Amino acid sequence: MTISHHPPEDLLADFAAGKLEEAHQLVVGVHVAGCTRCARFVQAIEQLAGATLEDFEPVPIAPDAFDRVMSRIDNSPEDEAAPPPASATDHDLPPALRKYRIGKRRRIAPGLSMRPIELSGSGKARAFLLRSAPGSRMLEHTHTGTELTLVLEGSFSHEGGRFGPGDFDYGDDEIEHRPVVGDEGPCVCLVAMTGDLRMNGFLGRLIGPFVRL
Amino acid sequence: MRLFIGASKGPKAKVDWADLIGRVASHGDRAAFKRLFEHFAPRIKGLMQRAGCSSDEAEEIAQNAMIAVWRKASLFDPATAGAAAWIFTIARNLRIDLFRRRARADRLRADSELPDAPDPAEPADAAISRVQDAARIEAAIKQLSTEQSMVVRLSFIEERTHPEIASLLGIPLGTVKSRIRLAMNRLRDILDEEA
Ligand SMILES: [Zn+2]
């Protein structure tokens, strides 16, 4: 897997700092988990964060904080183990995604379906898996917000180049997308989106309401 | 590895935090843990408050982070991450969890008819594979100028606004933006060369 499209550096730095909202954290995280180049960048930012922490001006903590911590350690030395079991049986999904509850597939248009990913609701962006049939020309659309897309399977191409598995695409309201899905198979993408997709043309107006989740 | 603290090495003397974490891991060394706690807990709290947590939230994160340091000490691998960076990631993940739990609780309060939600998912970054050794990452960071690493730390880690950074450093706003941009590109280039 050769990744040729990466998230911009400031997005990676915000990811490392834990500042991204949940949907964006998810999409960038799945990219980083599969991209050594970006994992290295994230680690460098974490290293800088460690230095910042080490030099940070201390603030007073509760006087009994240490004793409380030690008594919690002594009273339950091994608790909070048992990670929640993966709810989904989608073994073809990246591990980071298996921890989420993923909704049923919904058809949006011929050859186009999506599965919503349940988030905590702490952010404004939604996350979903978008599946498009091979060779299909995706609907011409513009955004009212930002859109982070990560290819999990298959490929698509648009003005910005070809995007295959692991590739990351950043779209904002400046950009008009007209992606064409590759012939090799269906294209499955993990998408984080704020705002609405605005479909252009008759078909777009027809299905637009369904895309608004 | 030895400890330099107290060895009259001047203000630059550094404690070997990795060694202390190793002692916690190998034999539950409480004295070592206490030194880690005394150094990091007040700084975690400070950094979390700086990053927008309330005093109570920051205190909770600091205590929980130190409990996690104790429990996960055996998972710490000094070859893949610096000790302070490792502790930072623990605190960062706890903050992410806290914000998500808080959002979920707010939502449930707002609409009591919502169905039971699943447990909050682990932060997505939990699965990042540690590919690079810490020494090489550290060497790469050292190639940034002091000015460059300073703006990155102020902007991304301390979460200060660009105007704030401009007045802190006494430089024009435009310089802040371009310096951050330059630092990011430089870091990417250095890491790419290292690969
Ligand atoms: Zn990448």
Side-chain angles (χ1 to χ4, degrees), chain A residues 107-138:
Chain A
R107 241 170 71 96
I108 303 173
L112 189 66
S113 65
M114 61 88 78
R115 297 181 65 187
I117 296 168
E118 190 176 307
L119 305 176
S120 68
S122 55
K124 278 179 264 169
R126 293 153 293 166
F128 52 88
L129 293 169
L130 190 69
R131 186 187 188 89
S132 344
S136 60
R137 176 169 284 273
M138 277 182 56

Side-chain angles (χ1 to χ4, degrees), chain B:
Chain B
M1 301 246 168
R2 48 178 43 250
L3 291 169
F4 295 115
I5 197 139
S8 65
K9 284 259 177 183
K12 274 276 172 192
K14 280 217 160 190
V15 182
D16 188 343
W17 304 118
D19 180 58
L20 294 177
I21 296 170
R23 291 200 223 168
V24 171
S26 62
H27 51 282
D29 186 331
R30 287 177 181 239
F33 181 68
K34 188 153 201 239
R35 293 192 51 203
L36 286 162
F37 186 96
E38 282 170 351
H39 185 80
F40 283 104
R43 288 171 173 82
I44 294 169
K45 184 174 178 182
L47 187 57
M48 292 299 128
Q49 279 183 273
R50 173 68 242 153
C53 292
S54 72
S55 172
D56 285 352
E57 289 170 339
E59 175 85 31
E60 184 192 326
I61 290 171
Q63 291 189 22
N64 288 343
M66 294 315 297
I67 290 172
V69 166
W70 176 278
R71 290 194 176 130
K72 296 180 182 188
S74 62
L75 300 176
F76 171 66
D77 179 1
T80 59
W86 181 67
I87 294 173
F88 168 81
T89 59
I90 288 174
R92 172 200 67 194
N93 292 352
L94 287 170
R95 181 175 67 127
I96 292 172
D97 287 347
L98 177 83
F99 284 178
R100 288 183 191 168
R101 265 186 288 128
R102 196 168 62 184
R104 197 180 281 287
D106 288 350
R107 214 166 46 133
L108 287 172
R109 249 197 307 281
D111 183 0
S112 53
E113 292 183 11
L114 273 180
D116 269 357
D119 289 338
E122 285 267 308
D125 51 4
I128 294 179
S129 48
R130 301 272 142 195
V131 285
Q132 278 277 321
D133 58 289
R136 286 178 65 192
I137 297 275
E138 190 63 47
I141 289 168
K142 288 228 170 78
Q143 292 186 52
L144 290 177
S145 70
T146 314
E147 289 80 16
Q148 286 174 334
S149 59
M150 182 63 75
V151 287
V152 173
R153 285 167 58 162
L154 289 172
S155 170
F156 293 98
I157 316 303
E158 297 195 19
E159 310 198 10
R160 294 182 190 271
T161 64
H162 291 179
E164 228 181 320
I165 297 170
S167 76
L168 270 172
L169 300 180
I171 54 175
L173 187 57
T175 308
V176 173
K177 293 179 200 293
S178 59
R179 196 176 283 178
I180 291 172
R181 191 69 250 152
L182 234 75
M184 293 276 117
N185 291 340
R186 175 104 182 88
L187 188 56
R188 188 70 119 166
D189 288 347
I190 297 164
L191 292 167
D192 285 350
E193 284 162 22
E194 290 265 318

